Amino acid sequence: MSETAVSETVPVEAGAYRAAMARLASAVHLVTTDGPGGRAGFTASAVCSVTDAPPTLLVCVNRGSSAHAALSRNDSLCVNTLSAEQQPVAEAFAGGVPMAERFAAARWREEAGSAPVLAGALVAFRCRIASRASVGTHDVLFCEVTGLVGPDEADALVYADRGYHPLPRRRPPTAKSRPLRALKAV
Amino acid sequence: MSETAVSETVPVEAGAYRAAMARLASAVHLVTTDGPGGRAGFTASAVCSVTDAPPTLLVCVNRGSSAHAALSRNDSLCVNTLSAEQQPVAEAFAGGVPMAERFAAARWREEAGSAPVLAGALVAFRCRIASRASVGTHDVLFCEVTGLVGPDEADALVYADRGYHPLPRRRPPTAKSRPLRALKAV
């Protein structure tokens, strides 16, 4: 660890917080939605599992983002987790591009009125938005998982240090290799 | 993507959900706490940034876990994000080990009554628990970041496919290399 002193200034400066958060690796997701609020999608890293009873994940979305208006009126979304070869799709959905152009950059398994499922994703979680919480500039969407597509055996895409990295698929250990202790869900 | 059909069974089976979630890469954290509820810590992957205004992250914790009793009475915690060489610390805090033994497995920057800061972490976020939400079996703790330690330049530790992976530090691009488009916060 660097010799940086513990900063007890409240609040921590936003730029310092973002620089610290940039060191955290995460999966890369396309969050898509469709319904009365229209079709929208964005690249997201702020997604995590909450519980498996019932299967529930959460998605954080900026209330100022172009996708928020659609998400505020729709009751479903799909979290499409990207494979290593889908970096161009992540870039198309990362901002500044009109929605129609974003969706033209990838192939979809469309179903009328439901959140688009991305072809070639590592895994896709079809969700119903069960509840919402507002925290600062963002909404946290708690989503019950109503359907799964995959998982696929492709390599994963990881975002860290403000760039994309491929993460090769780990194969299950053979009988000869010592199994790693699994990270226990707490 | 595999040819797995979209499952619209509600609810999705918990084991299938866990297998799908296992494909998602994440950073690995030690969440520590101290205070009136006592000292406790656990390995976590369900941590994500919510907003930078004010700097806020969230942590999901199983209400049945050994750390939950302490967290329910304490008002502060520290999210210590692990570096690649800290896999043994992740394993010590991953469950089944008494709290005193867990803490003996690493070096700390102790401050009486506050959440222990792990020496050698990639980055540490000292937090005040601002609010809590119950979702199924878990509590979601919304935490305002009151202090930062780091970030450090070490390689990161990633958890994916039920195993640990080192993720080499990405250096800032040189003038000659084409910068990647950053993942825009939405």
Side-chain angles (χ1 to χ4, degrees):
Chain A
M1 181 170 292
S2 64
E3 290 304 305
T4 316
V6 175
S7 152
E8 286 296 352
T9 313
V10 178
V12 164
E13 195 270 318
Y17 173 73
R18 288 196 303 271
M21 272 290 164
R23 295 251 46 216
L24 273 61
S26 69
V28 184
H29 313 272
L30 286 197
V31 177
T32 57
T33 186
D34 204 350
R39 190 172 70 161
F42 62 100
T43 306
S45 57
V47 169
C48 77
S49 179
V50 179
T51 176
D52 65 5
T56 304
L57 55 78
L58 63 80
V59 176
C60 301
V61 57
N62 192 324
R63 282 197 300 282
S65 74
S66 56
H68 183 264
L71 281 167
S72 66
R73 294 192 58 208
N74 295 344
D75 61 4
S76 69
L77 59 77
C78 185
V79 174
N80 303 274
T81 305
L82 301 187
S83 62
E85 65 184 21
Q86 292 182 311
Q87 181 179 330
V89 187
E91 291 170 338
F93 277 76
V97 177
M99 284 298 166
E101 275 182 50
R102 295 185 187 194
F103 281 93
R107 291 181 304 111
W108 306 93
R109 299 167 62 136
E110 294 282 356
E111 295 182 30
S114 69
V117 175
L118 177 67
L122 206 61
V123 57
F125 301 86
R126 304 188 77 160
C127 300
R128 179 183 71 81
I129 302 171
S131 64
R132 303 162 191 257
S134 286
V135 181
T137 53
H138 282 60
D139 279 355
V140 181
L141 311 181
F142 294 100
C143 304
E144 282 189 24
V145 180
T146 59
L148 293 171
V149 186
D152 194 271
E153 292 297 306
D155 295 343
L157 184 65
V158 167
Y159 192 77
D161 299 324
R162 298 187 166 121
Y164 295 96
H165 311 249
L167 186 73
R169 170 87 165 111
R170 173 189 289 275
R171 305 292 161 191
T174 62
K176 278 189 174 173
S177 67
R178 178 171 163 272
L180 283 169
R181 180 168 179 174
L183 175 59
K184 186 182 174 186
V186 294
Chain B
M1 181 170 293
S2 63
E3 290 306 303
T4 315
V6 175
S7 152
E8 286 297 351
T9 312
V10 178
V12 164
E13 195 270 317
Y17 173 73
R18 288 196 303 271
M21 272 290 164
R23 295 249 48 214
L24 273 62
S26 69
V28 184
H29 313 273
L30 286 196
V31 177
T32 57
T33 185
D34 203 350
R39 189 173 70 160
F42 63 99
T43 306
S45 58
V47 169
C48 78
S49 179
V50 180
T51 176
D52 66 3
T56 304
L57 54 78
L58 64 79
V59 176
C60 301
V61 56
N62 192 324
R63 283 196 300 281
S65 74
S66 56
H68 184 262
L71 281 167
S72 66
R73 294 191 58 207
N74 295 344
D75 61 4
S76 68
L77 59 77
C78 185
V79 174
N80 302 275
T81 305
L82 301 187
S83 62
E85 65 184 21
Q86 293 182 311
Q87 181 179 330
V89 187
E91 291 170 338
F93 278 75
V97 177
M99 284 297 167
E101 276 183 48
R102 296 185 187 195
F103 282 93
R107 291 181 304 110
W108 305 94
R109 301 167 61 137
E110 295 281 356
E111 294 183 30
S114 68
V117 176
L118 177 67
L122 205 61
V123 57
F125 301 86
R126 304 188 76 158
C127 300
R128 178 183 72 81
I129 302 171
S131 64
R132 303 163 191 257
S134 286
V135 181
T137 53
H138 281 60
D139 278 356
V140 181
L141 311 180
F142 294 100
C143 304
E144 282 190 24
V145 180
T146 59
L148 293 171
V149 186
D152 194 90
E153 292 298 306
D155 295 343
L157 184 64
V158 167
Y159 192 77
D161 299 324
R162 298 187 165 121
Y164 295 96
H165 310 248
L167 187 73
R169 171 86 165 111
R170 174 190 288 276
R171 305 292 160 191
T174 62
K176 277 188 177 175
S177 66
R178 179 172 162 272
L180 282 170
R181 180 169 179 173
L183 175 59
K184 187 182 174 188
V186 294

